[in-house]
């Protein structure tokens, strides 16, 4: 399959480009598009054949459900039950935006889209290109992140092309995404709201709207005996090809340890990489030292993490050591993704 590539450049031709992409989706094809979090791989959410194609293009297990993207709040009622009005309260506070809600699904949503679950994940993204595309496609677009299964989610159209060229009909290039990590997922289908995946919308922010919000305990603890509640969180995800370890503890001991481990790895003939911050990058000697930004700037860290993991792959780095970050606020999402990328391999010093 030849993948068409369309750049959304703010010109008067954009409507026509998005219209073409919408037609592809309506006809059962696949289009990758930008959202405010990461690029999504879209198909018609109400067409079972489209969902099957999404799984095939990503190489994703078909028990891992997709998020249905809408472009108007009211459209939620077509596909899901807002039993207690909780979704409405959250939507008033955070939609359009980087929050996904899990609700009991309605009949119209095919089991192929929800991985056979009786619930459906719904999100109303704030990115204007995403909104216009969903509208042009008829209102309901199933979209996982547009990476091949097991790779970091793509933050630019070039990274989408790396994984998806020749496997999908079109890539809409709307530039680099803003946030850089996937949406927060909150499950509203049970007794109490529960965060299944942390993101830009933090637990503290959700607690301002809801009475209580629990967090799936598997999020930061790889040794938890529980299974993650979001099927996708159980797979090793976001994985760089090099072997990644997170070093946690007192800042100066973390630096000493990383310096020592890099020297040992280099002596063993390995190509080494370090994930550092602006404050610490100068302290390391490795083949590739990358700063995620200033330690206190969580938005910058979130924005650069997936790009950096992909860059290490491009450079053929064999072993990567990363400093740990604070897991408060948005740091919870950052550490969740970093620990998953490392397969929960943590060195405590
Ligand atoms: O920011 C995002 O959410 C991006 C953009 C494209 O919108 N999408 C995204 O989709 O991250 P994906 O498929 O990569 O991640 C969806 C996650 C998976 O872990 C999946 O298991 C979980 O949501 N999920 C989807 N439907 C669910 C359901 N009904 N119950 C529990 N978890 C669900
Ligand atoms: Mg994903």
């Amino acid at each position: 399959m030849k993948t068409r590539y369309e750049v959304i450049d703010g010109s008067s031709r954009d409507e026509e480009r998005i219209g073409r992409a919408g037609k592809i989706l309506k006809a059962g094809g696949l289009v990758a598009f930008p959202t405010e979090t990461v690029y999504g791989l879209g198909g018609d959410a109400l067409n079972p054949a489209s969902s099957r194609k999404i799984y095939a293009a990503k190489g994703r297990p078909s028990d891992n459900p997709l998020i249905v993207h809408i472009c108007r709040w009211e459209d939620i009622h077509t596909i899901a039950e807002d039993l207690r009005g909780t979704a409405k309260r959250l939507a008033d506070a955070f939609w359009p935006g980087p929050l996904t809600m899990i609700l009991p699904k309605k009949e119209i949503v095919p089991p192929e889209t929800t991985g056979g679950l009786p619930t459906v994940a719904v999100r109303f993204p704030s990115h204007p290109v995403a909104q216009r595309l969903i509208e042009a496609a008829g209102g309901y677009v199933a979209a996982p992140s547009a990476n091949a299964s097991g790779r970091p989610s793509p933050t630019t159209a070039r990274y989408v092309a790396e994984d998806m060229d020749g496997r999908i009909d079109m890539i809409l290039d709307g530039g680099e995404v803003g946030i850089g990590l996937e949406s927060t997922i909150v499950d509203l289908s049970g007794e109490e709201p529960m965060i299944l995946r942390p993101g830009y919308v933090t637990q503290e922010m959700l607690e301002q709207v809801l009475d209580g919000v629990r967090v799936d305990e598997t999020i930061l603890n790889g040794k938890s005996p529980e299974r993650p509640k979001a099927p996708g969180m159980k797979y090793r995800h976001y994985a760089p090809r090099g072997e990644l370890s997170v070093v946690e503890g007192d800042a100066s001991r973390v630096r000493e340890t990383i310096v020592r481990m890099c020297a040992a790895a280099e002596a063993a003939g390995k190509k080494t990489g370090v994930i550092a911050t602006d404050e610490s990058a100068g302290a390391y000697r490795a083949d590739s030292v990358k700063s995620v930004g200033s330690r206190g700037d969580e938005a910058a860290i979130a924005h650069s993490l997936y790009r950096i993991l992909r860059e290490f792959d491009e450079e053929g780095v064999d072993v990567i050591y990363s400093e740990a970050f604070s897991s408060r606020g948005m740091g919870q999402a950052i550490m969740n993704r970093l620990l998953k990328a490392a397969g929960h391999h943590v060195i405590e010093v």
Side-chain angles (χ1 to χ4, degrees):
M1 176 189 292
K2 174 134 179 62
T3 301
R4 285 183 63 164
Y5 193 82
E6 297 273 11
V7 181
I8 302 301
D9 57 9
S11 78
S12 56
R13 307 250 335 261
D14 284 355
E15 276 322 302
E16 195 187 311
R17 295 171 179 132
I18 293 172
R20 272 202 293 275
K23 281 208 187 93
I24 291 174
L25 292 175
K26 277 186 170 163
L30 303 185
V31 176
F33 62 97
T35 81
E36 69 277 23
T37 56
V38 297
Y39 271 76
L41 173 55
D44 179 353
L46 306 185
N47 179 347
S50 298
S51 293
R52 280 197 292 268
K53 280 193 201 168
I54 291 177
Y55 291 112
K58 278 183 67 92
R60 171 170 175 151
S62 60
D63 67 344
N64 187 1
L66 308 174
I67 296 176
V68 180
H69 295 65
I70 58 176
C71 60
R72 279 174 296 263
W73 148 255
E74 316 81 79
D75 291 346
I76 197 173
H77 302 300
T78 311
I79 55 174
E81 307 274 0
D82 182 12
L83 296 174
R84 290 181 279 269
T86 321
K88 174 80 173 92
R89 277 159 62 206
L90 286 178
D92 285 343
F94 302 111
W95 274 5
L99 178 69
T100 296
M101 306 189 217
I102 311 276
L103 295 160
K105 85 173 186 75
K106 288 194 175 159
E107 188 72 32
I108 191 173
V109 185
E112 283 79 358
T113 300
T114 64
L117 293 176
T119 51
V120 61
V122 193
R123 170 157 126 75
F124 178 1
S126 62
H127 198 294
V129 175
Q131 291 181 355
R132 283 146 74 195
L133 176 65
I134 298 162
E135 168 94 58
Y140 306 93
V141 174
S145 48
N147 51 287
S149 198
R151 298 269 291 147
S153 297
T155 51
T156 64
R158 182 167 75 82
Y159 291 149
V160 175
E162 259 178 37
D163 288 10
M164 291 298 153
D165 190 52
R167 307 175 73 90
I168 61 176
D169 298 282
M170 185 185 275
I171 298 174
L172 281 183
D173 182 351
E176 196 175 353
V177 301
I179 293 174
L181 293 181
E182 306 85 347
S183 62
T184 305
I185 301 181
V186 59
D187 185 357
L188 303 176
S189 69
E191 286 291 302
E192 240 190 300
M194 189 190 289
I195 296 174
L196 306 189
R197 180 174 74 181
Y200 180 87
V201 176
T202 63
Q203 183 177 6
E204 294 78 7
M205 288 159 77
L206 292 169
E207 276 167 350
Q208 308 229 310
V209 179
L210 303 175
D211 298 331
V213 186
R214 293 199 300 148
V215 182
D216 182 355
E217 68 166 271
T218 64
I219 279 175
L220 291 177
N221 178 4
K223 295 188 195 79
S224 166
E226 298 279 313
R227 277 162 61 95
K229 310 276 183 306
M233 299 297 276
K234 73 174 182 263
Y235 297 105
R236 178 153 186 234
H237 228 190
Y238 324 114
R241 297 194 179 104
E243 192 186 309
L244 169 63
S245 307
V246 180
V247 185
E248 197 164 41
D250 165 75
S252 62
R253 281 221 296 279
V254 166
R255 284 181 209 185
E256 283 164 29
T257 306
I258 293 181
V259 167
R260 194 161 26 81
M261 296 186 94
C262 278
E266 217 171 302
K270 308 236 174 171
K271 189 162 180 186
T272 55
V274 176
I275 302 180
T277 57
D278 288 353
E279 291 78 10
S280 67
Y284 298 114
R285 301 275 168 281
D287 292 303
S288 181
V289 178
K290 295 183 189 294
S291 171
V292 285
S294 184
R295 179 159 279 280
D297 187 351
E298 281 164 5
I301 300 175
H303 188 79
S304 51
L305 183 62
Y306 285 156
R307 172 180 50 78
I308 285 177
L309 293 177
R310 280 187 181 253
E311 284 172 1
F312 281 131
D313 285 352
E314 286 163 16
E315 295 164 14
V317 169
D318 303 307
V319 284
I320 308 161
Y321 298 104
S322 178
E323 296 181 3
F325 304 99
S326 147
S327 49
R328 292 225 306 277
M330 233 242 286
Q332 194 173 63
I334 294 166
M335 280 306 286
N336 168 255
R337 307 308 195 275
L338 185 62
L339 289 170
K340 279 169 63 65
H344 285 276
H345 189 238
V346 180
I347 300 166
E348 304 214 19
V349 296

